[in-house]
Amino acid sequence: MATAVHRNGNLSAVSLQVFVLVGFGGGSEIQALLFAVFLVLYVVTVLGNLTMIMVITLDARLHSPMYFFLKNLSFVDLCYSSVIAPNALANFLSASKVISFAGCATQFFFFSLLATTETFLLAVMAYDRFMAICSPLRYPVTMCPMTCVRLVLGTFCVGCLNSIVQTSLTFQLPFCSSNRIDHFYCDVPPLLQLACASTALNELFLFGLCGFIIVSTTLAVLVSYGYITVTILRMHSGSGRHKVFSTCGSHLTAVSLFYGTLFVMYAQPGALTSMEQGKVVSIFYTLVIPMLNPLIYSLRNKDVKDALWRLGQRHNLVRAVRGCPEVRGNASV
């Protein structure tokens, strides 16, 4: 059950219909600046991740398990940021900053689903690199297309399960202290501050589930890269070592950024008390990291850069054929 709060602060017995996303403080100039920053981050995120999805889909040389997982990571990042950014951008230009109760629950459900999915997907990508480098002969059989699809579906299923638990536990609480969420999107820590009942169970599940997810996936990544490091050190080829380090370095960078910010926000005591810190950290894992991932994986990956070059050459050739009758006639011959 939820109760509404009028402007004068008095509680009403009417069911709560809306929340107010307080977001960031400041006047209209600060809001305009934040709008511009969020818009740039979101546009670059969309363009970068769509480019990765398109390049991996169109280039046959990138049809391998590693790039299949990378394409799914780009898809998750694209959806992940789209759950948060458009509503935040609208609120920067709005005086009311209102979100409905159902809209808040829906936003949180998909946010939790996609965040958990990405956490496990990064661990799956580490396992894929472990199999490719440490067991190259068994790799084609172990990481066959059907196995890759099952692993990705498994990450989404785990994400959905965690999201159902967190959403149902959070939105069954009675909210009667206020309807003003001290954040720029619907998340558990600021919502728990509005509850007028005990949130001990919710905090236990938040720290317990998030702690288990982050610790277990981090261990999977560390163990995988522990074996990978040993294997790399045994390599005699300097060029082979450099290529492996380049590929794995990109993944470790993405893992460190994402897991680090999630740990600061959800898996440590006191995460519920510092909302200002939480807002800043949230910008990193909802917008900055999804924006950086395509750059990390493309700038440090020769295969992706070569694929982008081939795609550009193909596009230029098509334009030349369409624009020149003689070239079009020769191409048809």
Side-chain angles (χ1 to χ4, degrees), residues 66 129 225 242-251 300-301:
M66 182 178 80
R129 291 299 82 209
Y225 275 98
H242 175 75
K243 182 177 181 180
V244 172
F245 267 125
S246 177
T247 303
C248 295
S250 300
H251 185 242
R300 300 194 56 172
N301 190 309

Side-chain angles (χ1 to χ4, degrees), residues 77-94:
D77 279 337
L78 180 62
C79 297
Y80 186 40
S81 57
S82 297
V83 169
I84 306 297
N87 186 69
L89 288 169
N91 285 339
F92 286 132
L93 303 178
S94 171

